[in-house]
């Protein structure tokens, strides 16, 4: 069941409703790991394709050479470490002021050239050559020329003062414009830094989830080792008890079911979720009853904790009067599987039991059991959850009505 969910990367709503919060978190972690695995495979494939595409290209002759220091190592200068280093803001202000001055000077030179051309054109008609007048008028002409030259110099002086004033104003305008651009860039950098911080937080959350998944796997490994140790102890106990004259009766042989065998050999894909009660009953009779699902470990009788196809509300009604540790195993009314319902200090909880591949395991768990009774016996001595307080299956919840609710499964 879990392999099918990871292959399709989809879980049906009916199946999701049967999971508790811990199983949902474990399922999410496994689906996330599967996504990361697929992404890494895709990245590896793309890198190989890119390498194959660039294999025939010539290697560039460009190279980088580094400046070496006195210690023959790469020379590195960190701004701000030396006592004579200026602050970053001051350096930026000086650079912007220099750029503003250069640009204002270039504009002033262009304006000065145009102004000089206008003055030359304006005073060119006032210049008189001495040869064009008689000797008696030369003194008068020279006086007029002197006045014209003085007037030209005065106009040039006024024009130069105006140009300097305009240059200073333009310099200030350019500096303010560059300052505003720097402020806008600083705001953009702050937004980019905020995005980077958000990305780092997301990566940190992924690391925490991977750590939680690793911790869960380590806990599963620990519980698996305990299960193996319990199996060895059980085997040794059985060997020493072989001299018992009245051993437990051997399990009944598994009857052959032709229709079930044919359906498996045909390679048909069975749906894990169904809304038909008749389909679930047929599945139990054909596949689970031959495995003695719901029986005690010695296969002598049906276990007191086993119940039929009852709803979540019925299970909670049976468990609400008991104390912590009261439990039952019921056949799911939505999927081909079982649900372990038990009472804890917080209330009644439900755990989905995967019954595919002829084994039984809690969804998201790594320990496989050959029977339901083995799963129940294991969690009578081992906790159900690794998160929070440890919870055990202490007391089986039996039948309360005169007619057992699993009658339709065996008749």
């Amino acid at each position: 069941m879990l392999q099918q969910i990871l292959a399709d990367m989809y879980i049906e709503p009916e199946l999701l409703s049967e999971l508790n919060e811990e199983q949902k978190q474990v399922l999410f972690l496994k689906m996330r790991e599967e996504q990361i695995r697929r992404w890494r495979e895709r990245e590896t494939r793309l890198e190989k394709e890119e390498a194959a595409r660039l294999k025939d290209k010539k290697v560039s002759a460009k190279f980088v050479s580094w400046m070496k220091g006195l210690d023959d190592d790469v020379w590195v200068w960190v701004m701000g470490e030396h006592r004579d280093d200026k602050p970053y803001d001051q350096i930026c202000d000086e650079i912007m002021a220099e750029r503003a001055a250069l640009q204002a000077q270039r504009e002033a030179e262009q304006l000065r050239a145009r102004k000089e051309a206008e003055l030359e054109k304006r005073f060119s008609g006032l210049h008189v050559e001495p040869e064009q007048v008689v000797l008696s008028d030369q003194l008068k002409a020279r006086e007029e020329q002197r006045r014209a030259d003085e007037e030209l110099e005065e106009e040039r002086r006024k024009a130069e003062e105006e140009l300097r004033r305009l240059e200073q104003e333009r310099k200030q305008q350019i500096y303010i414009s560059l300052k505003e651009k720097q402020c806008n860039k600083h705001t953009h950098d702050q937004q980019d830094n905020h995005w980077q911080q958000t990305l780092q937080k997301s990566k940190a959350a992924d690391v925490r989830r991977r750590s939680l998944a690793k911790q869960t796997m380590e806990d599963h490994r620990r519980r698996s080792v305990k299960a193996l140790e319990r199996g060895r102890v059980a085997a040794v106990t059985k060997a020493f008890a072989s001299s018992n004259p009245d051993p437990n009766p051997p399990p009944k042989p598994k009857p052959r079911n032709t229709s079930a065998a044919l359906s498996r050999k045909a390679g048909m894909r069975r749906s894990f979720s169904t809304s038909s009660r008749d389909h679930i009953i047929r599945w139990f009779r054909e596949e689970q009853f031959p495995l003695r699902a719901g029986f005690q470990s010695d296969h002598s009788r049906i276990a007191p904790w086993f119940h039929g196809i009852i709803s979540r509300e019925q299970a909670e009604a049976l468990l609400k009067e008991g104390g912590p540790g009261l439990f039952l195993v019921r056949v799911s009314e939505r999927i081909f599987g079982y649900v372990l319902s038990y009472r804890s200090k917080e209330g009644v909880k439900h755990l989905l039991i995967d019954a595919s591949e002829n084994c039984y395991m809690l969804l998201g768990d790594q320990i496989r059991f050959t029977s339901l009774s083995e799963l129940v016996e294991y969690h009578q001595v081992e906790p159900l959850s690794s998160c929070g307080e440890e919870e055990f299956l202490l007391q089986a919840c039996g039948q309360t009505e005169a007619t057992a609710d699993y009658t339709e499964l065996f008749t």
Side-chain angles (χ1 to χ4, degrees):
M1 181 186 298
L2 182 60
Q3 289 76 9
Q4 187 65 40
I5 294 174
L6 296 179
D8 299 338
M9 295 303 288
Y10 172 77
I11 180 172
E12 298 181 3
E14 295 84 358
L15 180 58
L16 186 63
S17 64
E18 291 289 343
L19 304 179
N20 66 351
E21 290 301 323
E22 183 180 353
Q23 287 183 322
K24 289 178 181 178
Q25 291 181 6
V26 173
L27 182 60
F28 167 76
L29 291 174
K30 290 188 177 295
M31 295 178 73
R32 178 63 173 169
E33 290 175 353
E34 179 65 17
Q35 287 179 339
I36 295 174
R37 185 189 66 81
R38 294 183 182 181
W39 176 79
R40 288 177 177 172
E41 289 182 353
R42 176 178 174 275
E43 290 296 316
T44 303
R45 185 179 71 255
L46 292 178
E47 288 178 359
K48 291 181 180 179
E49 294 176 356
E50 184 70 15
R53 186 175 65 83
L54 299 176
K55 186 176 181 181
D56 298 334
K57 289 189 176 182
K58 295 182 179 180
V59 179
S60 176
K62 297 180 180 180
F63 62 94
V64 177
S65 59
W66 302 96
M67 182 183 295
K68 298 295 184 66
L70 296 177
D71 55 354
D72 200 26
D73 198 0
V74 177
W75 184 80
V76 179
W77 170 67
V78 181
M79 184 176 65
E81 288 189 349
H82 195 269
R83 63 178 181 275
D84 296 334
D85 288 345
K86 299 178 181 179
Y88 176 77
D89 295 338
Q90 182 179 352
I91 295 175
C92 292
D93 289 340
E94 292 178 356
I95 293 174
M96 287 186 294
E98 183 179 357
R99 290 179 179 176
L102 290 175
Q103 185 174 351
Q105 184 178 0
R106 286 193 296 267
E107 294 178 0
E109 291 294 336
Q110 296 175 359
L111 186 60
R112 184 177 289 106
R114 290 197 299 268
K115 191 69 175 177
E116 184 67 22
E118 292 177 359
L119 292 175
E120 290 291 339
K121 183 178 180 181
R122 176 181 171 185
F123 288 94
S124 60
L126 299 178
H127 181 71
V128 180
E129 295 294 336
E131 292 79 3
Q132 296 178 358
V133 296
V134 295
L135 295 176
S136 60
D137 295 333
Q138 286 184 357
L139 294 176
K140 183 178 180 181
R142 289 176 181 175
E143 183 67 20
E144 291 178 355
Q145 183 65 38
R146 185 182 63 79
R147 292 198 196 101
D149 292 340
E150 290 178 355
E151 185 178 356
L152 177 61
E153 289 298 326
E154 182 67 20
E155 290 293 333
R156 285 177 176 174
R157 186 183 62 78
K158 292 180 180 180
E160 185 65 24
E161 291 178 357
E162 181 68 17
L163 287 173
R164 290 177 180 176
R165 184 183 64 80
L166 293 176
E167 183 180 355
Q168 291 295 329
E169 292 179 356
R170 182 58 181 161
K171 177 182 176 181
Q172 189 68 19
Q173 291 176 358
I174 297 173
Y175 175 80
I176 293 174
S177 177
L178 293 176
K179 194 71 174 178
E180 290 177 353
K181 289 182 180 179
Q182 185 189 23
C183 293
N184 294 335
K185 184 178 181 299
H186 181 66
T187 303
H188 176 74
D189 292 342
Q190 286 182 341
Q191 294 176 353
D192 185 67
N193 291 335
H194 176 70
W195 181 84
Q196 291 290 344
Q197 292 177 359
T198 304
L199 181 62
Q200 291 177 359
K201 291 180 180 179
S202 178
K203 290 182 178 180
D206 289 339
V207 171
R208 288 194 297 270
R209 284 193 288 268
R210 286 196 295 269
S211 176
L212 178 60
K214 183 178 179 181
Q215 182 181 358
T216 304
M217 293 177 63
E218 289 294 332
D219 184 70
H220 289 160
R221 184 188 62 79
R222 177 184 62 81
R223 294 165 63 185
S224 300
V225 171
K226 287 187 177 182
L228 292 176
E229 293 177 354
R230 292 180 65 250
R232 295 192 189 100
V233 173
V236 173
T237 304
K238 183 177 180 181
F240 278 103
S242 59
S243 59
N244 189 357
D246 188 18
N248 293 329
K252 297 182 180 179
K254 179 180 178 181
R256 296 181 178 272
N257 191 306
T258 306
S259 61
L262 290 176
S263 64
R264 289 195 181 93
K265 291 181 180 180
M268 297 177 61
R269 180 181 176 184
R270 187 182 68 202
S271 173
F272 292 110
S273 178
T274 178
S275 59
S276 174
R277 190 182 186 91
D278 295 335
H279 289 171
I280 296 178
I281 294 175
R282 188 176 66 177
W283 162 78
F284 182 87
R285 291 178 179 177
E286 294 179 356
E287 299 188 18
Q288 297 299 300
F289 180 72
L291 299 177
R292 290 298 184 264
F295 281 74
Q296 291 183 339
S297 57
D298 58 0
H299 298 174
S300 60
R301 57 190 296 271
I302 299 176
W305 40 260
F306 183 74
H307 290 255
I309 309 175
I310 61 176
S311 63
R312 176 189 290 255
E313 291 76 14
Q314 292 174 321
E316 292 178 353
L318 292 173
L319 298 173
K320 68 178 181 179
E321 300 298 336
L326 185 65
F327 73 97
L328 60 88
V329 177
R330 56 188 172 92
V331 180
S332 175
E333 58 182 348
R334 292 190 179 95
I335 64 169
F336 293 134
Y338 302 90
V339 180
L340 172 62
S341 301
Y342 68 97
R343 184 172 181 82
S344 65
K345 294 181 180 179
E346 293 80 12
V348 179
K349 295 183 180 181
H350 307 271
L351 299 177
L352 190 64
I353 300 176
D354 187 358
S356 59
E357 301 180 3
N358 294 333
C359 65
Y360 304 88
M361 59 184 296
L362 296 176
L363 187 64
D365 207 339
Q366 301 293 329
I367 306 177
R368 299 172 181 264
F369 301 93
T370 58
S371 64
L372 283 175
S373 60
E374 184 179 352
L375 184 148
V376 171
E377 291 175 358
Y378 176 80
H379 287 294
Q380 287 177 341
V381 294
E382 292 294 333
L384 283 167
S385 174
S386 60
C387 302
E389 297 183 359
E390 295 184 344
E391 298 170 340
F392 300 87
L393 304 180
L394 302 179
Q395 181 182 358
C397 179
Q399 303 289 328
T400 58
E401 303 293 337
T403 303
D405 52 24
Y406 52 70
T407 304
E408 60 182 348
L409 300 176
F410 298 97
T411 57

